[in-house]
C-alpha cells in the first residue's frame, strides 16, 4: 500500500486531478459518470504524453498538492523571491531572521561607495556588521522604553510597527537578537538560469526515470545556482552540494575522482536521496528540507509536529536546524516561481545549449594527455566533459582509472574499438601512479624533505603547487613525486585552467618561545598593523611569536612586502639518511589512531577494506553510533597494511585541503577568547563559519574538544576566490 501511495504522489496525474480537473468535474454535473471518467482519462493521456519543458508558464507555481505553501511561510517565500529577482549582490537586506517579512533597510553599496568593486569584501562586511549592531542597539533601547512606558519617537514607532502595532516590549527585545543581513542574488540567479541550460535536460530525464516530480529539477537553483564547480566551506561540492559523508553513499569520491562535481552522476545520486527521503517521510516539503537538514532530523521533527512544514519551521528546535534549514523549502518554492517566470524578472535569458557527449569506458589506466591525443580533444574539453576528474589527473600526476566512464564531445563517425587500439602499448597501464606522502614536522623545510626523499625542491614545489619553497606548515601533507611522474608534474599543460592550490603560509611553530617583535626598517616597506605582521598569503601572526630557534624572518616582495620564516642554516643530511617518505610520518602507523575532522567509520572501513560492522565491534561502538574528533580508534590491518592505510588516509586529507583552497583563501587570523557556553562546534559553525579541520591546524597544541572560558584560540578568517550566495 505504501508503494502505491508513493507512486500516486509521484505521478503527474495528481497535478491534473488536484487543480483544474476538479473544477471541470463540478461543472459537468449534468453528464453521466462515464463521460466524466472518459474526459479525465483523455486529459491524463494527453498530459502524460506531452514533452516535459524546463520552465512552466510565467508566474507558475509548483503543484500545490505535492508542494503546499502554508500561510505562515508566505512571507518567507516572498522574501526569497526578492532575494532572487529584485536585489543584486551590491544590495544587502537588513531583516529579522525569523519574521522574514520584517525588512528594516536595504543597503546599496553603490550608494555607500560609488564604485563598490574597488572596495574589499572585508570592508563591506565590517560596514554591514556596524549597521546590524546599530539596529540591535535601537531595538533594545526601544524595548527598554516600552517596558518603562516611555513615549517613542516617530522613527522608533515605525520600527515597532514592522512587528505589529501591538508588539510587546518582549517581542522587540527578542527581535534585537535576530537582526541579519542577506545579500541579493539577482545577478547570480540569472547566471544560474543561463548555466542551467547545460544540464537541465539531463536532470529532467533522470528525475523522470526515477518518477520524481519534475519541479524538483529546479532545486539546484537553491543549492548552487547550477554551478557544478560550487564548493562550500564545509566541503559540500557540485550542483547538488553533496558532503563527502553523504556523497560516498552514492558516488565515487577519492583522490582521482570526485563524482559530486559531475552534474549527471550527482543528479542520479540526488534522485536516489530524494526518493529515500520521501519514502520515509511521505511529504515533499519534509523530504526537501531533509535534503538540507538530514532525514533523521526531519523524522524527529515529524514525530513532534506531523507533516505541517509551517509548524516545523515555527516550532522545531535543534542544534543544527538553523536559518538555512528553516528556509530551505521556502527558498525552493521562491526559486521555482522566479525560474518559471524568468522573463518577467530578467528579460531575455540566453540559456546555454545542452551538453552533448559520447561515453566510453576505459579498459586500462591512461594519462590524460594520451587520451586527449587519442580522442583529438584538448585538456580543457576533457575537463569540461569530465568534471569528476580531479586536478592530479589533469596535471599528469595520476592516471585516469580503469573502468571510468569517459565522456567526449559528440562527434560523428567515432569508432570506439579503433580508437582504443590506436593507443600505443607504452601508454596503456595496469596500475595507478601512487605518490608517497610526508607530513611536515617542526624544524622541517623543503630542502630537508627533498634530500630525505631523494627528490628536488623544484619537483616538490611543482608537484604540490607551491609558489615558494618557504610556504610549508607543520602538519601539512606533502606529496612526494615518484620517479616516473616528476617530469609530468613539473610540466603543466598551458590549456588547463586550474586555480593553484593555496596553502597556509609559513605557519609559526606552536611551541616556540616568545621573543621580542622583529623591528623593521621603513626602507624595507614592512607591513605592520595593530601588533600583527602579515605573512605570505595574508596570514597574520602576533609579532611577539615570530623567529623561533634556528629560524629567521625574511621579507618577500610580491604584491606587497610580507614576512616569512626561513631556517637560519639548512642542516646537512647525510646520504645514508635518505629513507622512504612514509617512514617519516610523525604518528607512526599503529593499530590505534586518533579520529580527525571529516573522518567517519565508513572512511576507515573503506581504507582498511573491512566492514564498518567489524570496526564497530572492535571498538564497541553500537550500530548508528557516531565517532567524534579526537576519539581513539583501534584498527585492523588484516587486509591492508598500515603504510597503505596511511597513504589512503593522507590522500583523503589532502584532497579536502586542495578542494577547499581552490575556492577559499585565508585573509587574516584573529584570536578568540572562549565565552561561557561556547564549544568548538558553536565557535566554528555559529560564530565564525569556518571548518573545524582548518581551525585545528592553527591550534596544534590546544585541545579544542575541552575548552574553558577565557581560552585563547586562533581563528583563520576566510575570503572567497569566487562569488557565492551569502548571508550575514
Amino acid at each position: 500500500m505504501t508503494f502505491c501511495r508513493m507512486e500516486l504522489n509521484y505521478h503527474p496525474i495528481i497535478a491534473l486531478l488536484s487543480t483544474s480537473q476538479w473544477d471541470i468535474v463540478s461543472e459537468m454535473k449534468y453528464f453521466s459518470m462515464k463521460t466524466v471518467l472518459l474526459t479525465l482519462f483523455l486529459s491524463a493521456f494527453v498530459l502524460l504524453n506531452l514533452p516535459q519543458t524546463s520552465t512552466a508558464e510565467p508566474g507558475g507555481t509548483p503543484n500545490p498538492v505535492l508542494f503546499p505553501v502554508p500561510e505562515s511561510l508566505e512571507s518567507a517565500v516572498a522574501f526569497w523571491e526578492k532575494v532572487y529577482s529584485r536585489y543584486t549582490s551590491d544590495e544587502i537586506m537588513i531583516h529579522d531572521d525569523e519574521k522574514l517579512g520584517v525588512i528594516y533597510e536595504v543597503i546599496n553599496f553603490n550608494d555607500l561607495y560609488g564604485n563598490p568593486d574597488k572596495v574589499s569584501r572585508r570592508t563591506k562586511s565590517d560596514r554591514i556588521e556596524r549597521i546590524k549592531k546599530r539596529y540591535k542597539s535601537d531595538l533594545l533601547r526601544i524595548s527598554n522604553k516600552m517596558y518603562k512606558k516611555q513615549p517613542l519617537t516617530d522613527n522608533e514607532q515605525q520600527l515597532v510597527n514592522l512587528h505589529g502595532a501591538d508588539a510587546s516590549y518582549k517581542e522587540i527585545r527578542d527581535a534585537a537578537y535576530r537582526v541579519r543581513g542577506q545579500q541579493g542574488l539577482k545577478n547570480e540567479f540569472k547566471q544560474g538560469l543561463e548555466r542551467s541550460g547545460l544540464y537541465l535536460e539531463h536532470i529532467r530525464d533522470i528525475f523522470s526515470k526515477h518518477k520524481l516530480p519534475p519541479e524538483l529539477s529546479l532545486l539546484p537553483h537553491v543549492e548552487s545556482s547550477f554551478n557544478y564547480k560550487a564548493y562550500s566551506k564545509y566541503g559540500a561540492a557540485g550542483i547538488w552540494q553533496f558532503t563527502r559523508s553523504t556523497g560516498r553513499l552514492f558516488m565515487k569520491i577519492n583522490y582521482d575522482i570526485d563524482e559530486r562535481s559531475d552534474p549527471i552522476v550527482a543528479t542520479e545520486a540526488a534522485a536516489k536521496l530524494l526518493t529515500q527521503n520521501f519514502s520515509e517521510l511521505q511529504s515533499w516539503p519534509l523530504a526537501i528540507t531533509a535534503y538540507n537538514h538530514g532525514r533523521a532530523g526531519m523524522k524527529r521533527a515529524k514525530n513532534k509536529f506531523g507533516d505541517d512544514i509551517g509548524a516545523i519551521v515555527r516550532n522545531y528546535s535543534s542544534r543544527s536546524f538553523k536559518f538555512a534549514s528553516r528556509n530551505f523549502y521556502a527558498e525552493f518554492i521562491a526559486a521555482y516561481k522566479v525560474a518559471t517566470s524568468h522573463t518577467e524578472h530578467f528579460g531575455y535569458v540566453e540559456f546555454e545549449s545542452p551538453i552533448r557527449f559520447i561515453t566510453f569506458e576505459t579498459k586500462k589506466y591512461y594519462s590524460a594527455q594520451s587520451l586527449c591525443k587519442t580522442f583529438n580533444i584538448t585538456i580543457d574539453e576533457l575537463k569540461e566533459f569530465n568534471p569528476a576528474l580531479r586536478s592530479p589527473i589533469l596535471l599528469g600526476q595520476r592516471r585516469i582509472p580503469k573502468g571510468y566512464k569517459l565522456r567526449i564531445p559528440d562527434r560523428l563517425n567515432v569508432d570506439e574499438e579503433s580508437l582504443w587500439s590506436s593507443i600505443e602499448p607504452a601508454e596503456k597501464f595496469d596500475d595507478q601512479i601512487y605518490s608517497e606522502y610526508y607530513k611536515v614536522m617542526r624544524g622541517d623545510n623543503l630542502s630537508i624533505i627533498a634530500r630525505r626523499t631523494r627528490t628536488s625542491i623544484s619537483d616538490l614545489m611543482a608537484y604540490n603547487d607551491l609558489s615558494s619553497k618557504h610556504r610549508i606548515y607543520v602538519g601539512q601533507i606533502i606529496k612526494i613525486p615518484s620517479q616516473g611522474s616528476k617530469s609530468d608534474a613539473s610540466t603543466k599543460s598551458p590549456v588547463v585552467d586550474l586555480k593553484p592550490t593555496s596553502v597556509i603560509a609559513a605557519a609559526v611553530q606552536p611551541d616556540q618561545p616568545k621573543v621580542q617583535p622583529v623591528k623593521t626598517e621603513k626602507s624595507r616597506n614592512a607591513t605592520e598593523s595593530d601588533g600583527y605582521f602579515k605573512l605570505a598569503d595574508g596570514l597574520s601572526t602576533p609579532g611577539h611569536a615570530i623567529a623561533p630557534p634556528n629560524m629567521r624572518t625574511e621579507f618577500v616582495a610580491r604584491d606587497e612586502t610580507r614576512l616569512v620564516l626561513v631556517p637560519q642554516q639548512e642542516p646537512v643530511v647525510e646520504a645514508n639518511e635518505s629513507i622512504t617518505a612514509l617512514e617519516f610520518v610523525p604518528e607512526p602507523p599503529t593499530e590505534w589512531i586518533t579520529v580527525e575532522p571529516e573522518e567517519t567509520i565508513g572512511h576507515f572501513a573503506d581504507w582498511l577494506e573491512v566492514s564498518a560492522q567489524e570496526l564497530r565491534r572492535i571498538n564497541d561502538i553500537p550500530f548508528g553510533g557516531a565517532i567524534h574528533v579526537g576519539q581513539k580508534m583501534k584498527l585492523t590491518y588484516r587486509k591492508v597494511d598500515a603504510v597503505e592505510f596511511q597513504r589512503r588516509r593522507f590522500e583523503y586529507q589532502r584532497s579536502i585541503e586542495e578542494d577547499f583552497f581552490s575556492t577559499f583563501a585565508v585573509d587574516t587570523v584573529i584570536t578568540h577568547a572562549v565565552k561561557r557556553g561556547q564549544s568548538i562546534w558553536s565557535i566554528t559553525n555559529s560564530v565564525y563559519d569556518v571548518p573545524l579541520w582548518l581551525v585545528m591546524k592553527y591550534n596544534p597544541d590546544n585541545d579544542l574538544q575541552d575548552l574553558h572560558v577565557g581560552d585563547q584560540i586562533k581563528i583563520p578568517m576566510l575570503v572567497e576566490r569566487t562569488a557565492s550566495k551569502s548571508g550575514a
Side-chain angles (χ1 to χ4, degrees):
M1 181 63 69
T2 301
F3 176 78
C4 294
R5 183 166 63 252
M6 285 174 59
E7 289 292 280
L8 282 174
N9 276 320
Y10 290 155
H11 216 287
I13 186 62
I14 292 295
L16 180 70
L17 296 178
S18 65
T19 54
S20 59
Q21 285 301 323
W22 289 122
D23 297 330
I24 293 174
V25 171
S26 65
E27 293 296 327
M28 296 177 66
K29 56 185 177 181
Y30 298 110
F31 290 83
S32 66
M33 181 58 67
K34 184 181 295 185
T35 305
V36 171
L37 293 175
L38 179 60
T39 302
L40 290 173
F41 175 80
L42 291 175
S43 299
F45 179 84
V46 172
L47 179 62
L48 291 174
N49 286 275
L50 284 175
Q52 294 181 354
T53 58
S54 61
T55 59
E57 292 299 319
T61 57
N63 184 338
V65 172
L66 301 183
F67 307 100
V69 181
E71 184 177 353
S72 60
L73 290 188
E74 289 178 354
S75 62
V77 172
F79 173 86
W80 289 108
E81 285 187 74
K82 294 174 183 176
V83 172
Y84 292 144
S85 65
R86 182 180 301 181
Y87 299 114
T88 70
S89 56
D90 284 329
E91 295 172 291
I92 306 291
M93 304 164 69
I94 308 298
H95 66 97
D96 187 295
D97 76 354
E98 286 186 6
K99 301 177 181 178
L100 296 189
V102 177
I103 300 175
Y104 300 112
E105 183 180 358
V106 177
I107 307 299
N108 191 320
F109 287 135
N110 289 290
D111 296 335
L112 292 179
Y113 301 111
N115 189 351
D117 292 339
K118 294 186 176 181
V119 180
S120 70
R121 292 181 184 178
R122 176 66 57 192
T123 299
K124 294 176 183 177
S125 176
D126 290 344
R127 184 69 173 266
I128 295 301
E129 287 302 313
R130 290 197 297 271
I131 293 172
K132 287 163 55 181
K133 288 179 181 179
R134 187 191 74 206
Y135 275 103
K136 177 182 179 181
S137 176
D138 289 346
L139 290 167
L140 288 174
R141 184 186 67 253
I142 292 170
S143 173
N144 187 49
K145 291 176 70 173
M146 293 173 68
Y147 174 74
K148 296 179 179 179
K149 302 187 183 304
Q150 296 175 348
L152 304 180
T153 66
D154 291 343
N155 289 337
E156 290 172 339
Q157 188 62 52
Q158 287 179 7
L159 281 179
V160 173
N161 291 344
L162 290 174
H163 293 271
D166 57 347
S168 67
Y169 78 89
K170 290 184 179 179
E171 291 177 285
I172 301 302
R173 181 193 60 199
D174 292 343
Y177 297 97
R178 301 197 303 261
V179 180
R180 181 180 181 275
Q182 173 62 49
Q183 185 176 26
L185 297 169
K186 180 176 181 177
N187 44 346
E188 185 170 327
F189 198 93
K190 183 180 179 182
Q191 292 172 358
L193 284 169
E194 295 167 347
R195 285 191 295 259
S196 70
L198 198 63
Y199 286 103
L200 188 54
E201 178 181 307
H202 299 283
I203 294 173
R204 293 203 322 267
D205 289 344
I206 292 169
F207 276 25
S208 176
K209 180 183 70 175
H210 286 271
K211 298 181 180 179
L212 293 170
E215 290 93 334
L216 294 174
S217 62
L218 297 182
L219 189 57
H221 278 301
V222 180
E223 284 288 0
S224 64
S225 294
F226 279 88
N227 179 11
Y228 66 82
K229 299 177 183 178
Y231 192 86
S232 78
K233 293 178 182 177
Y234 299 101
I239 67 170
W240 290 101
Q241 287 292 280
F242 275 98
T243 61
R244 286 181 177 84
S245 57
T246 303
R248 62 182 295 275
L249 301 175
F250 306 98
M251 296 172 282
K252 292 180 181 178
I253 305 173
N254 54 46
Y255 196 63
D256 307 323
I257 305 293
D258 189 343
E259 292 182 334
R260 297 177 301 162
S261 297
D262 187 314
I264 295 175
V265 179
T267 295
E268 286 280 0
K272 293 174 184 177
L273 180 57
L274 286 166
T275 299
Q276 291 178 4
N277 286 351
F278 182 83
S279 176
E280 297 193 30
L281 295 167
Q282 290 295 298
S283 160
W284 277 118
L286 270 59
I288 290 172
T289 306
Y291 192 91
N292 176 273
H293 179 61
R295 195 183 310 140
M298 291 314 296
K299 280 184 177 180
R300 290 190 291 270
K302 180 174 181 175
N303 289 338
K304 289 185 177 181
F305 304 104
D307 291 337
D308 187 348
I309 185 64
I312 290 174
V313 169
R314 286 195 311 272
N315 304 309
Y316 179 59
S317 176
S318 80
R319 189 177 71 168
S320 57
F321 195 69
K322 301 300 182 184
F323 185 84
S325 296
R326 291 201 318 264
N327 283 275
F328 196 72
Y329 181 66
E331 287 188 68
F332 163 69
I333 299 297
Y336 183 90
K337 294 176 70 175
V338 173
T340 55
S341 58
H342 56 80
T343 304
E344 174 185 338
H345 302 293
F346 307 103
Y348 174 72
V349 175
E350 185 174 356
F351 293 87
E352 293 188 37
S353 299
I355 190 169
R356 306 295 182 194
F357 54 83
I358 302 173
T359 302
F360 299 114
E361 185 169 325
T362 55
K363 300 180 180 181
K364 295 278 188 177
Y365 289 86
Y366 306 93
S367 71
Q369 288 77 8
S370 67
L371 289 191
C372 285
K373 180 177 65 176
T374 299
F375 291 104
N376 192 26
I377 59 176
T378 65
I379 287 287
D380 279 340
E381 287 178 309
L382 180 69
K383 178 184 176 185
E384 177 186 356
F385 282 80
N386 300 273
L389 297 179
R390 296 192 68 255
S391 58
I393 286 181
L394 298 171
L395 293 174
Q397 298 173 3
R398 299 289 274 257
R399 298 179 181 128
I400 297 175
K402 180 180 179 180
Y404 176 73
K405 293 182 178 179
L406 181 77
R407 300 196 197 109
I408 66 169
D410 187 0
R411 293 169 180 164
L412 298 176
N413 303 320
V414 175
D415 182 1
E416 179 179 1
E417 290 303 321
S418 63
L419 285 172
W420 290 125
S421 61
S422 69
I423 301 178
E424 295 293 333
E427 295 180 340
K428 302 175 183 179
F429 303 92
D430 294 324
D431 299 302
Q432 182 60 276
I433 299 172
Y434 290 114
S435 301
E436 292 181 328
Y437 294 85
Y438 179 83
K439 203 165 189 176
V440 178
M441 298 179 291
R442 293 187 180 94
D444 278 343
N445 58 57
L446 277 187
S447 178
I448 292 175
I449 297 172
R451 291 174 185 176
R452 285 176 173 171
T453 58
R454 295 183 178 178
T455 186
S456 67
I457 293 177
S458 60
D459 279 335
L460 286 176
M461 291 177 63
Y463 215 64
N464 292 275
D465 285 325
L466 300 176
S467 60
S468 168
K469 66 179 181 180
H470 306 306
R471 295 172 60 190
I472 62 174
Y473 58 93
V474 173
Q476 181 180 3
I477 297 169
I478 299 291
K479 288 190 295 186
I480 308 302
S482 62
Q483 293 298 319
S485 62
K486 291 180 183 179
S487 60
D488 291 338
S490 60
T491 306
K492 300 181 182 179
S493 172
V495 296
V496 180
D497 181 21
L498 292 174
K499 295 176 181 175
T501 302
S502 173
V503 296
I504 306 172
V508 176
Q509 315 303 331
D511 61 349
Q512 61 199 33
K514 294 183 178 180
V515 297
Q516 293 300 315
V518 173
K519 295 182 179 180
T520 62
E521 301 175 8
K522 292 184 179 180
S523 60
R524 302 178 74 175
N525 296 321
T527 58
E528 183 176 1
S529 176
D530 299 328
Y532 281 71
F533 290 94
K534 292 195 74 178
L535 301 184
D537 274 2
L539 179 65
S540 298
T541 190
H544 65 267
I546 63 177
N550 300 320
M551 301 288 281
R552 62 182 173 81
T553 58
E554 180 177 294
F555 290 89
V556 180
R558 198 167 64 183
D559 296 336
E560 54 181 309
T561 301
R562 294 177 178 178
L563 184 68
V564 297
L565 296 173
V566 296
Q568 289 181 344
Q569 182 177 1
E570 294 183 352
V572 176
V573 181
E574 299 296 335
N576 58 8
E577 283 192 58
S578 297
I579 58 178
T580 305
L582 281 176
E583 293 178 348
F584 271 87
V585 176
E587 182 183 28
T590 67
E591 63 178 357
W592 288 95
I593 55 95
T594 301
V595 177
E596 298 189 16
E598 308 291 335
E599 295 180 335
T600 65
I601 293 178
H603 286 117
F604 293 126
D606 286 347
W607 300 331
L608 294 165
E609 297 182 12
V610 299
S611 67
Q613 181 180 1
E614 181 175 352
L615 290 180
R616 289 182 181 277
R617 178 181 55 78
I618 293 173
N619 292 275
D620 196 24
I621 301 173
F623 180 77
I627 59 177
H628 57 80
V629 175
Q631 177 178 341
K632 297 291 185 181
M633 277 196 66
K634 189 175 184 179
L635 306 181
T636 172
Y637 296 113
R638 62 184 181 83
K639 289 192 174 182
V640 173
D641 64 38
V643 173
E644 174 62 13
F645 165 79
Q646 191 73 295
R647 182 191 66 77
R648 295 177 180 183
R649 191 185 191 194
F650 279 2
E651 284 187 347
Y652 174 73
Q653 294 170 350
R654 182 172 172 86
S655 67
I656 291 175
E657 294 189 23
E658 288 177 348
D659 293 343
F660 180 85
F661 285 116
S662 69
T663 304
F664 301 97
V666 175
D667 179 53
T668 187
V669 177
I670 65 172
T671 300
H672 174 84
V674 178
K675 298 180 176 58
R676 187 176 303 278
Q678 287 185 334
S679 65
I680 190 58
W681 189 93
S682 64
I683 292 170
T684 56
N685 287 267
S686 301
V687 180
Y688 293 107
D689 193 27
V690 293
L692 174 60
W693 65 264
L694 185 60
V695 174
M696 289 182 68
K697 288 187 179 297
Y698 280 82
N699 298 271
D701 284 350
N702 291 347
D703 183 358
L704 299 182
Q705 305 301 319
D706 184 29
L707 294 176
H708 302 86
V709 175
D711 284 353
Q712 304 280 318
I713 59 177
K714 293 182 177 64
I715 304 292
M717 305 303 291
L718 305 172
V719 292
E720 295 180 56
R721 298 181 186 275
T722 56
S724 68
K725 180 168 64 176
S726 175

